[in-house]
């Protein structure tokens, strides 16, 4: 088979085992795409390590040279994510020997959700010291250092966080968003999103008969004020449907001719339905308490729609004959 392969497994443990087996067979690293935790409530600190790893895999899948094989969990397949075009529009390229004012690079990093730090220690951070710009972008295993001479990039390469020494030179790098849901990706930017949230708040405020609606309106107004003041929303996921617009899942990032291999399809269906119920229950609870704007968009792909999309692609269903239960013919 000359096309790419995507193996779907029931859960994280099965996906890791399948990926290691594939690596032994093809002699290449096989990425594993799992689901991440949505952040629906404000938090002082949010770990986005899994989210940023997902972004690197999704960008590679829809790129010019996608990996030969990828393994995906049932939840990772159904979870809503950033649409392909939005991800590619948000990404930008820096080239060694190219020209880009360092201030412009800093601004692009901020718009992509990167946080300024004294020293880069993890993904989603950047630091500047004079004409040296360090950043750690999804899709790379180590941070990148760019040395500017005026508006020109004099050199660029990966470096070690502990020793601060360069480990590998780079001719170019692709900088990806630091999160799947960024207010800056809304058409018109964060200020336009603030206006949209305030408009939604007006709608909920008119529902005087429901206490939760008033709480939702207050939440929307407060988040709109935060965005107007230049603050970042740690819980922007609750506006994912508003910011991203069209619904997209991992299936939309796969090349059209990708061969799908469903390992234990019966268990995949079980885990998929359990995940959908879990997210659905969480969303309903938050909406009833006024912490989530009801009707702001779906966060998962319904299983029936997923099966319909799977039927349109070449697929192999693998299971033991004694327990085989197939979600599609």
């Amino acid at each position: 088979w000359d096309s790419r392969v995507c193996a779907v497994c029931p859960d994280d443990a099965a996906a890791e085992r399948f990926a290691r087996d594939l690596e032994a067979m093809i002699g290449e690293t096989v990425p594993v795409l799992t689901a991440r935790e949505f952040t629906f409530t404000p938090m002082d600190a949010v770990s986005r390590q899994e989210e940023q790893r997902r972004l690197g895999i999704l960008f590679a899948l829809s790129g010019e040279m996608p990996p030969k094989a990828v393994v995906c969990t049932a939840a990772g397949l159904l979870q809503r994510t950033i649409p392909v075009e939005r991800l590619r529009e948000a990404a930008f390229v820096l080239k060694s020997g190219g020209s880009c004012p360092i201030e412009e690079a800093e601004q692009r990093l901020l718009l992509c959700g990167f946080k300024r730090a004294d020293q880069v220690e993890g993904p989603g951070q950047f630091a500047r010291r004079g004409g040296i710009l360090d950043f750690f972008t999804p899709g790379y295993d180590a941070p990148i250092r760019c040395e500017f001479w005026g508006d020109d990039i004099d050199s660029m390469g990966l470096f070690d966080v502990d020793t601060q020494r360069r480990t590998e030179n780079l001719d170019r790098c692709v900088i990806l968003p630091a999160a799947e849901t960024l207010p800056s990706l809304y058409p018109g930017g964060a200020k336009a999103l603030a206006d949209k949230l305030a408009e939604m708040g007006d709608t909920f405020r008119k529902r005087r008969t429901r206490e939760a609606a008033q709480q939702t309106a207050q939440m929307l107004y407060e988040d709109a004020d935060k965005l107007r003041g230049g603050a970042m929303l740690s819980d922007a996921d609750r506006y994912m449907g508003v910011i991203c617009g069209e619904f997209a899942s991992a299936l939309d990032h796969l090349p059209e001719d990708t061969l799908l291999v469903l390992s234990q399809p019966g268990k995949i269906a079980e885990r998929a339905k359990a995940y959908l119920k879990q997210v659905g229950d969480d969303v309903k609870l938050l909406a009833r308490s006024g912490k989530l704007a009801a009707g702001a968009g779906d966060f998962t792909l319904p299983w029936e729609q997923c099966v319909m999309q799977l039927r349109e692609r070449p697929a192999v269903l693998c299971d033991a004959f004694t327990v085989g239960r197939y979600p599609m013919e």
Side-chain angles (χ1 to χ4, degrees), residues 2-328:
D2 296 327
S3 68
R4 310 290 167 172
V5 173
C6 174
V8 184
C9 296
D11 51 41
D12 293 10
E16 287 292 340
R17 289 195 299 269
F18 205 111
R20 301 296 81 81
D21 289 344
L22 273 179
E23 287 178 347
M25 293 171 67
I26 66 176
E28 294 183 13
T29 300
V30 176
V32 178
L33 185 71
T34 58
R36 66 181 179 90
E37 291 290 334
F38 286 119
T39 306
F40 291 138
T41 54
M43 294 186 178
D44 294 333
V46 179
S47 174
R48 300 196 182 277
Q49 184 174 357
E50 182 63 29
E51 185 175 2
Q52 290 161 357
R53 192 178 68 83
R54 277 173 51 87
L55 282 164
I57 296 173
L58 292 170
F59 186 81
L61 287 176
S62 57
E64 296 178 359
M65 291 294 292
K68 182 180 294 185
V70 64
V71 178
C72 183
T73 63
L77 193 70
L78 298 174
Q79 188 174 61
R80 183 171 193 160
T81 188
I82 183 173
V84 177
E85 291 304 318
R86 288 289 184 88
L87 178 56
R88 303 201 74 79
E89 288 172 6
F92 66 101
V93 177
L94 292 179
K95 297 181 180 180
S96 182
S99 181
C100 176
I102 192 170
E103 294 79 11
E104 180 180 327
E106 278 187 286
Q107 187 60 31
R108 290 293 300 269
L109 287 167
L110 288 169
L111 289 175
C112 278
F114 284 71
K115 292 184 179 180
R116 191 187 300 274
D118 294 331
Q119 180 175 307
V120 172
E121 296 178 347
Q125 296 180 338
F126 79 96
R128 178 185 173 185
R129 299 180 306 282
I132 298 177
L133 183 65
D134 295 343
F135 52 87
F136 202 152
T137 177
Y140 292 84
D141 295 327
I144 296 171
R145 174 165 294 158
C146 287
E147 298 184 20
F148 288 77
W149 181 263
D151 290 345
D152 297 329
I153 300 175
D154 188 52
S155 64
M156 180 167 57
L158 302 175
F159 70 93
D160 183 88
V161 173
D162 296 325
T163 66
Q164 292 293 301
R165 292 181 179 177
R166 183 172 297 190
T167 57
E168 181 183 345
N169 291 325
L170 295 176
D171 294 326
R172 68 192 294 272
C173 72
V174 180
I175 299 173
L176 303 180
E180 292 185 48
T181 311
L182 290 173
S184 58
L185 299 183
Y186 182 78
K191 291 185 177 179
L193 177 61
D195 293 340
K196 177 63 177 178
L197 297 186
E199 180 185 327
M200 292 170 61
D202 292 340
T203 301
F204 278 92
R205 188 176 59 179
K206 294 175 183 177
R207 304 174 185 175
R208 300 182 182 276
T209 57
R210 295 183 56 192
E211 182 180 350
Q214 300 306 308
Q215 294 175 343
T216 301
Q218 184 62 31
M219 174 197 72
L220 289 163
Y221 291 142
E222 290 176 356
D223 286 346
D225 289 340
K226 290 178 184 178
L227 291 172
R228 291 188 179 114
M232 297 180 67
L233 298 181
S234 62
D235 52 346
D237 281 338
R238 59 185 174 187
Y239 303 122
M240 194 173 197
V242 178
I243 294 171
C244 294
E246 64 176 298
F247 186 95
S249 70
L251 281 170
D252 298 294
H253 288 262
L254 293 174
E256 291 185 0
D257 64 344
T258 299
L259 171 66
L260 290 163
V261 177
L262 276 64
S263 177
Q264 306 176 78
K267 286 189 177 181
I268 289 174
E270 290 177 5
R271 297 299 174 89
K273 292 173 182 177
Y275 174 71
L276 293 175
K277 185 179 185 305
Q278 173 199 327
V279 176
D281 290 345
D282 291 345
V283 168
K284 287 178 183 178
L285 182 61
L286 290 168
R288 288 171 184 167
S289 61
K291 298 178 181 178
L292 189 68
D298 298 321
F299 296 97
T300 52
L301 179 67
W303 177 240
E304 293 75 16
Q305 292 186 26
C306 177
V307 172
M308 290 177 63
Q309 292 188 34
L310 292 176
R311 286 174 176 166
E312 297 174 357
R313 294 174 176 267
V316 176
L317 282 65
C318 306
D319 211 340
F321 285 114
T322 55
V323 297
R325 289 167 293 161
Y326 305 117
M328 59 185 184

